[in-house]
Amino acid sequence: MSEATILVLDAEPPPRLGRLTGRARILHADEQSLARQLPLADVLLVWDFLSDAVRDAWPGEGHRPEWVHTASAGVDRLMCPELAASDTVVTNARGVFDVPIAEYVATLILAFAKDLPRTWRYQRDRQWRHRETRRVTGTKACVVGSGPIGHAIAATLRALGITTALVGRSARAGVHAPEDLDRLLTRADWVVAAAPLTDATRSMFDARRFGVMQPSAHFVNIGRGALVVEEDLVRALTSRWIAGAALDVFQQEPLAPESELWTVPDLLISPHMSGDTVGWRDELGAQFLELYERWESGRPLTNVVDKHRGYVPGH
Amino acid sequence: MSEATILVLDAEPPPRLGRLTGRARILHADEQSLARQLPLADVLLVWDFLSDAVRDAWPGEGHRPEWVHTASAGVDRLMCPELAASDTVVTNARGVFDVPIAEYVATLILAFAKDLPRTWRYQRDRQWRHRETRRVTGTKACVVGSGPIGHAIAATLRALGITTALVGRSARAGVHAPEDLDRLLTRADWVVAAAPLTDATRSMFDARRFGVMQPSAHFVNIGRGALVVEEDLVRALTSRWIAGAALDVFQQEPLAPESELWTVPDLLISPHMSGDTVGWRDELGAQFLELYERWESGRPLTNVVDKHRGYVPGH
C-alpha cells in the first residue's frame, strides 16, 4: 500500500499524530478549504468535532475518503444522506468519554440533592442558612440512551445507591424499550438524557414529557442539545413542573450571551464539557492512532458507526 | 421500676417521643433551666446538640442522670471531667449520619473535580468558558477518622473509583496509624477530616499539615470546626499551598457575617448540614426510642461512648 493521505479537519495538529511521520501524509483543512481538499484524502479525521463542515463539503460524486473518523461520540454533526449512502466507513470516539461523563452526571445529581447551588448563593450573601437535603441512596434515576455512555452513567449512579433504569431503542437485557419511558419518567427523581441525536430522539424531551415528571424531579442533558425542546424546559422550570435541570449541551453552541437560558431559576448551564477531563485530547489522539494502525494493516476497524442509525450498534 | 423522668434539652418536642406517654414522664429544659431541672432527671436527652449547656450545668455532687443521650455523633460539646468521672452512661447518635455525610463528601469532591463553583460563576456572568476538568477515578483520598462516618465516606469514595486510605487513632485492619498521616497527605488529591474532636485531634490540620499537601489537593472538613486551625487554612488557600477547601463546620457556629472565611478564594462554606437529610430528626427520635426501650427493660445500651476517649470505640 502506498503512503496514504490523512486529512485533518482542524487548525491544531492532534497530539500523537506525529508518530505517523513517514507512514502517512498528513494534511490540514479548515472549514473553508475542506471541500477543495477532500478529494486528496484517503482518511478524514474530524478533529474539530463541533464543526458542521463535513456535511456541507461531502462530495456527491467523485473521490471520497475510504474512512472518516470523528473525535466525538455523536456523529450527528457530520452525517448526511450522501455520506450514509456511500461506501465510506465512519468511526467514532466511543469509550473515551464514558467515565468522565458518568462522573459529571453523578456530580450534578449530588449537587442537586445536596442543594449546592443555593449553598453558594448564601455564601456569597454571607448567610448561614441550614437546610435539610436529600439522600441519593434509595432514589430513582431514568437514563435515556443505552450506549456505553448511558451504561457508564448507570454504573456510577448504582454505585451511589441510586436505582437506575436504562432506556434504549429496543428492549434487551438491562435496557427498557421506549414504550416504558413515560412510566419510568413518572417515578424518576433524576432523568438523564444520554442518547445519540437521531430522528427518533430529536425533541424527545418536550412539554409533554416534562409534564409527566415529578415536581421534585431533576433533569440532566449531557447528550445533544436538540434532544430537548429548550423553550419547553424553560416553561417546565418556571412553572415548577420539575424542580431543576442542568444542561451541558444546547441547540446553539456556544450559548449566546443574550440567551434566556442563563438566568432560568434552578437551571445549571455548563459549556459542553462533561466528557472533557485532563488528557482527553491525548486519549482521542491515541484512539485514532490505534484505529489507523488497524486500517493501515487491513484489519477490521472497531467503533464502526451504523450510518443509518447514527451510532455504533451493540452493547 | 417506677415511671422514669426523661429531661429533654430543647424547646421543641422531638418526634416520636409521644410514644412514651404513660411509660415515662417527659420534661423540657432550656439552657437557663437545665441546672435546676437536672436533679429531677433519670435520663437526659440532649436534643439541642449544638448547646454547650450540659457542661456548665453538670452537677459535681448529688443526683445525676443515670444516662445521657445526645442526638449527635460528636460528644465534645457536652463532655466535661465531672461527667467523664461519673457513673452516668453516655450514648450518641452513631449511625444516623453516616450515609448522608458520605454522600455530602462525595458531592464536594466531585464538585471540585468538575470545577462546578467556577461553572456557576461563569453562568452568572453569561460566559461560555470551556475547561478541562478532573476524572476522580484513579485519584487518591485520605480520610482522617475511622469511625462509622469515616468508613462510610471511604466506601462511597471507593465506589467512585477513588483509592481511599483511612487514618485512625491506631493501626488495625484497613486503618492507618497517625504516624502514616503525613506520608498519606503528601500523596492525597482529597483530604477529609471526619475525626471526633478530642485532645489528640484538636487543631491537627494546621500550617504544617496544609504545607505537606499537594498544591492540587483539596481539603474537606465535615467533622468539627476545631480540628482545623482556620487561620492556617486561610493562609494555605491564599498562598496556594492547596487548591481548594470546603468547610461544613467551624470554630464558631453559626459563622458570623463578618468572618473573613466567607470570601476566601476556593473555599466553600456550608452551614453544618452535611448529615442532615430529610427525615433526620425522625431517625434521631426513633433511635432514642429504641435505646430507651433497652434501658427501660434493663438490657444493655448500644452506642455507648468511651467518655475518656470521646467516641464509641470499635469498628
Side-chain angles (χ1 to χ4, degrees):
Chain A
M1 191 174 184
S2 70
E3 196 180 64
T5 298
I6 303 172
L7 181 64
V8 181
L9 175 59
D10 204 343
E12 295 294 310
R16 307 211 184 201
L17 234 64
R19 295 217 195 151
L20 297 179
T21 308
R23 287 160 62 190
R25 186 164 68 123
I26 298 174
L27 302 178
H28 288 267
D30 57 23
E31 296 198 340
Q32 282 67 47
S33 68
L34 184 64
R36 181 167 42 81
Q37 289 181 278
L38 210 49
L40 306 171
D42 299 300
V43 178
L44 173 64
L45 168 56
V46 184
W47 190 253
D48 176 6
F49 50 81
L50 295 176
S51 170
D52 292 328
V54 176
R55 212 150 42 186
D56 300 331
W58 194 258
E61 301 285 319
H63 178 88
R64 289 174 293 233
E66 208 175 290
W67 165 36
V68 175
H69 177 75
T70 178
S72 64
V75 297
D76 46 289
R77 283 203 173 80
L78 61 94
M79 205 52 73
C80 58
E82 293 76 17
L83 172 50
S86 72
D87 291 339
T88 300
V89 174
V90 175
T91 58
N92 74 358
R94 181 185 176 94
V96 171
F97 300 104
D98 305 357
V99 169
I101 293 180
E103 291 183 353
Y104 202 84
V105 169
T107 307
L108 293 169
I109 287 177
L110 283 165
F112 281 132
K114 305 305 177 186
D115 207 25
L116 271 199
R118 215 159 263 111
T119 296
W120 278 309
R121 212 156 67 217
Y122 290 140
Q123 176 174 355
R124 221 173 57 212
D125 299 339
R126 295 171 172 257
Q127 291 193 328
W128 181 273
R129 291 235 204 146
H130 181 277
R131 288 102 61 211
E132 293 182 357
T133 62
R134 289 172 82 177
R135 204 183 282 226
V136 298
T137 303
T139 60
K140 289 189 183 67
C142 173
V143 177
V144 180
S146 59
I149 292 173
H151 273 89
I153 293 169
T156 300
L157 299 187
R158 285 172 188 148
L160 291 166
I162 302 173
T163 305
T164 305
L166 272 173
V167 180
R169 62 198 176 274
S170 57
R172 54 200 194 279
V175 177
H176 290 265
E179 300 84 77
D180 292 345
L181 178 58
D182 286 2
R183 186 176 53 79
L184 291 166
L185 291 182
T186 62
R187 303 176 185 176
D189 298 293
W190 322 105
V191 177
V192 181
L197 181 61
T198 67
D199 289 342
T201 63
R202 186 179 302 274
S203 299
M204 68 179 295
F205 290 99
D206 58 6
R208 197 186 65 72
R209 288 231 161 81
F210 291 123
V212 300
M213 294 180 196
Q214 303 187 91
S216 58
H218 288 77
F219 173 75
V220 172
N221 185 11
I222 48 74
R224 281 289 184 258
L227 299 174
V228 175
V229 182
E230 287 174 353
E231 45 283 31
D232 289 2
L233 176 61
V234 172
R235 195 166 143 215
L237 287 167
T238 52
S239 307
R240 314 308 299 155
W241 297 355
I242 65 173
L247 298 180
D248 187 55
V249 287
F250 302 87
Q251 285 169 18
Q252 290 293 333
E253 295 178 11
L255 191 63
E258 58 275 13
S259 167
E260 65 167 339
L261 292 175
W262 293 107
T263 55
V264 175
D266 298 299
L267 175 61
L268 306 179
I269 303 285
S270 57
H272 201 151
M273 57 189 267
S274 72
D276 304 344
T277 47
V278 172
W280 67 299
R281 287 177 188 276
D282 214 50
E283 273 188 69
L284 288 171
Q287 183 181 51
F288 174 74
L289 213 71
E290 202 184 309
L291 285 167
Y292 185 82
E293 283 170 356
R294 285 178 166 269
W295 182 80
E296 189 182 39
S297 62
R299 281 176 294 150
L301 289 169
T302 56
N303 291 17
V304 175
V305 172
D306 179 319
K307 293 186 287 180
H308 296 282
R309 288 179 171 175
Y311 50 83
V312 180
H315 192 106
Chain B
M1 192 174 183
S2 70
E3 195 179 66
T5 297
I6 304 172
L7 182 64
V8 181
L9 175 60
D10 204 340
E12 295 294 309
R16 307 209 184 200
L17 233 66
R19 295 214 194 154
L20 296 178
T21 308
R23 287 159 62 188
R25 188 164 67 124
I26 298 174
L27 302 177
H28 287 266
D30 58 21
E31 297 199 340
Q32 283 67 48
S33 69
L34 183 65
R36 183 167 40 80
Q37 289 181 279
L38 210 50
L40 306 170
D42 298 302
V43 178
L44 173 64
L45 169 55
V46 185
W47 190 252
D48 176 7
F49 51 81
L50 295 175
S51 170
D52 292 328
V54 175
R55 212 150 43 185
D56 300 330
W58 194 258
E61 300 287 319
H63 179 86
R64 290 174 292 231
E66 209 175 289
W67 166 36
V68 175
H69 177 75
T70 178
S72 64
V75 298
D76 47 289
R77 283 204 174 79
L78 61 94
M79 205 52 74
C80 60
E82 293 76 17
L83 172 50
S86 72
D87 291 339
T88 300
V89 175
V90 175
T91 57
N92 73 357
R94 181 185 176 94
V96 171
F97 300 104
D98 305 358
V99 169
I101 291 180
E103 292 183 353
Y104 202 84
V105 169
T107 306
L108 293 169
I109 287 176
L110 283 165
F112 282 131
K114 305 304 176 186
D115 207 24
L116 271 199
R118 216 160 263 111
T119 296
W120 278 309
R121 213 157 65 217
Y122 290 140
Q123 176 174 357
R124 222 173 55 213
D125 300 338
R126 295 171 173 257
Q127 291 193 327
W128 179 274
R129 290 236 206 145
H130 181 278
R131 287 101 61 211
E132 292 182 359
T133 63
R134 288 173 81 177
R135 204 183 282 226
V136 298
T137 303
T139 61
K140 289 191 184 64
C142 172
V143 177
V144 180
S146 60
I149 292 172
H151 273 89
I153 293 169
T156 301
L157 299 187
R158 286 172 187 150
L160 290 167
I162 301 173
T163 305
T164 305
L166 272 172
V167 180
R169 64 201 173 273
S170 58
R172 54 198 194 279
V175 177
H176 290 266
E179 300 84 78
D180 292 345
L181 178 58
D182 285 2
R183 185 177 52 81
L184 291 166
L185 291 182
T186 61
R187 302 177 187 179
D189 298 293
W190 322 105
V191 177
V192 181
L197 181 61
T198 67
D199 289 343
T201 63
R202 186 178 301 276
S203 299
M204 69 180 294
F205 290 100
D206 58 5
R208 198 187 62 74
R209 288 231 161 82
F210 291 122
V212 299
M213 295 180 196
Q214 302 187 92
S216 59
H218 288 78
F219 173 74
V220 172
N221 185 9
I222 49 73
R224 281 288 183 258
L227 298 174
V228 175
V229 182
E230 287 174 352
E231 44 285 30
D232 289 2
L233 175 60
V234 171
R235 196 168 142 213
L237 287 167
T238 52
S239 307
R240 314 309 298 155
W241 297 355
I242 63 173
L247 299 179
D248 187 56
V249 289
F250 302 88
Q251 284 169 18
Q252 291 292 332
E253 295 179 11
L255 191 63
E258 58 275 12
S259 168
E260 65 168 338
L261 293 175
W262 293 108
T263 56
V264 175
D266 298 300
L267 175 60
L268 305 179
I269 303 285
S270 57
H272 201 151
M273 58 189 267
S274 72
D276 305 343
T277 46
V278 171
W280 68 299
R281 287 177 188 276
D282 213 52
E283 273 188 70
L284 288 171
Q287 183 181 53
F288 174 74
L289 212 73
E290 200 184 309
L291 286 166
Y292 186 81
E293 283 170 357
R294 286 179 165 269
W295 182 81
E296 189 181 39
S297 62
R299 282 177 293 150
L301 288 170
T302 57
N303 292 16
V304 175
V305 172
D306 179 319
K307 293 185 288 181
H308 297 282
R309 289 178 172 177
Y311 51 81
V312 180
H315 190 108

